[in-house]
């Protein structure tokens, strides 16, 4: 199997899962020179695939491969087709299929559950996290998988509210200290482009380093 299989999941659309998954893929490909596969397994929107295609059509291809595989055999696909070919696989699980998340967890080494620090977005966080842990347990892989909640779209003008939200989550669930800020000029404008700027990759780089430290 690839050294790292990172399953990115969340609760609903629009919270920044695909963007975070993309930036993790950029860090591994651009900054660490690894062979990366991005698997777009989200059945309800194909942000990863659209991003990849747009970049290719503009003659600035992304520095990693992509597969679209939006169904519950995504884990089998990764197990069958990626060994020897890729060092890192990032699976964008989308937000509304428990079956896809479970399948990704059967092969992943790291399960990231993405949320924003907004009340409306964290309501199903515990349930999603529990589902990922249960899938790991059912697959007999609990000891092989790290799992953590991660914040994205963090509005740094609301520091007190963000801190309180973090405190509430950390009382129940493991959480990465590193996060992605709400920065449309970096993250939203990146759609369809190949991100190589080290400044733009800085937050994602630190996130990856924290994931590595846990492993
Ligand atoms: N950190 C961020 N800062 C600003 N805008 C962001 C950030 N992350 C994502 N976005 C924007 O939010 C929207 C939803 O992001 P996306 O990654 O597609 O979410 P999801 O995959 O959860 O549906 C997109 O318009 C995207 O450009
Ligand atoms: Mg998405």
């Amino acid at each position: 199997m690839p050294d790292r299989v990172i399953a990115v999941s969340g609760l609903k659309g629009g919270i920044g899962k695909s963007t975070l998954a993309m930036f993790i893929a950029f860090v591994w490909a651009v900054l660490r020179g690894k062979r990366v596969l991005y698997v777009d397994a989200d059945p309800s929107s194909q942000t990863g695939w659209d991003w990849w295609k747009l970049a290719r059509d503009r003659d600035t291809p992304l520095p990693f491969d992509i597969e679209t595989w939006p169904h519950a055999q995504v884990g089998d696909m990764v197990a069958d087709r990626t060994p020897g070919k890729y060092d890192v696989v990032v699976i964008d699980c989308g937000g509304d299929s428990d079956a896809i998340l479970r399948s990704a967890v059967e092969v992943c080494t790291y399960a990231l559950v993405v949320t924003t620090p907004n009340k409306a977005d964290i309501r199903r966080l515990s349930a999603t996290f529990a589902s990922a842990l249960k899938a790991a347990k059912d697959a007999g892989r609990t000891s092989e998988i790290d799992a953590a909640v991660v914040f994205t779209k963090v509005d740094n003008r609301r520091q007190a509210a963000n801190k309180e939200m973090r405190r509430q989550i950390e009382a129940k669930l493991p959480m990465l200290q590193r996060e992605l800020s709400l920065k449309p000029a970096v993250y939203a404008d990146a759609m369809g482009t190949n991100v190589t700027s080290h400044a733009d990759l800085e937050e994602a780089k630190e996130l990856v380093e924290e994931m590595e430290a846990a492993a």
Side-chain angles (χ1 to χ4, degrees):
M1 286 295 285
D3 295 341
R4 293 169 188 81
V5 179
I6 303 158
V8 179
S9 66
L11 314 114
K12 50 185 223 172
I15 57 172
K17 296 180 297 294
S18 298
T19 304
L20 181 97
M22 271 284 166
F23 272 73
I24 289 174
F26 282 125
V27 168
W28 280 107
V30 175
L31 301 181
R32 298 199 175 205
K34 297 292 185 186
R35 300 172 299 171
V36 177
L37 175 69
Y38 185 105
V39 180
D40 189 339
D42 185 344
S44 46
S45 73
Q46 281 69 50
T47 306
W49 174 242
D50 290 342
W51 189 321
W52 193 90
K53 239 181 355 176
L54 256 174
R56 182 199 58 194
D57 295 346
R58 290 167 171 166
D59 286 326
T60 51
L62 301 189
F64 45 82
D65 291 343
I66 193 157
E67 289 268 2
T68 45
W69 206 266
H71 39 81
Q73 286 72 37
V74 64
D76 291 344
M77 187 281 284
V78 170
D80 288 347
R81 300 197 187 169
T82 65
K85 256 185 104 179
Y86 298 103
D87 307 306
V88 179
V89 177
V90 181
I91 308 174
D92 179 351
C93 300
D96 38 35
S97 169
D98 201 48
I100 288 172
L101 172 58
R102 291 181 62 83
S103 180
V105 166
E106 281 168 17
V107 296
C108 81
T109 55
Y110 213 119
L112 276 183
V113 180
V114 183
T115 186
T116 74
N118 299 319
K119 281 186 186 155
D121 290 340
I122 66 164
R123 286 181 54 228
R124 280 173 53 222
L125 190 60
S126 294
T128 304
F129 203 87
S131 171
L133 289 187
K134 176 153 191 315
K137 190 161 175 246
D138 292 348
R141 303 193 61 242
T142 304
S143 64
E144 292 157 54
I145 299 177
D146 286 301
V149 175
V150 60
F151 269 168
T152 190
K153 290 185 157 184
V154 178
D155 183 343
N156 292 315
R157 294 166 302 187
R158 304 185 73 239
Q159 292 207 8
N162 297 340
K163 211 171 151 194
E164 171 57 18
M165 202 65 84
R166 176 177 278 281
R167 195 190 59 76
Q168 284 178 24
I169 295 170
E170 284 178 344
K172 293 190 227 157
L173 302 172
M175 206 179 163
L176 293 179
Q177 297 306 304
R178 299 295 183 172
E179 55 195 29
L180 300 193
S181 306
L182 180 71
K183 284 186 190 165
V186 174
Y187 298 109
D189 292 355
M191 171 72 194
T193 73
N194 180 16
V195 181
T196 56
S197 150
H198 287 212
D200 289 354
L201 291 173
E202 186 58 28
E203 288 184 329
K205 170 176 163 267
E206 289 181 351
L207 199 86
V208 166
E209 281 166 3
E210 188 180 359
M211 291 170 71
E212 289 296 291

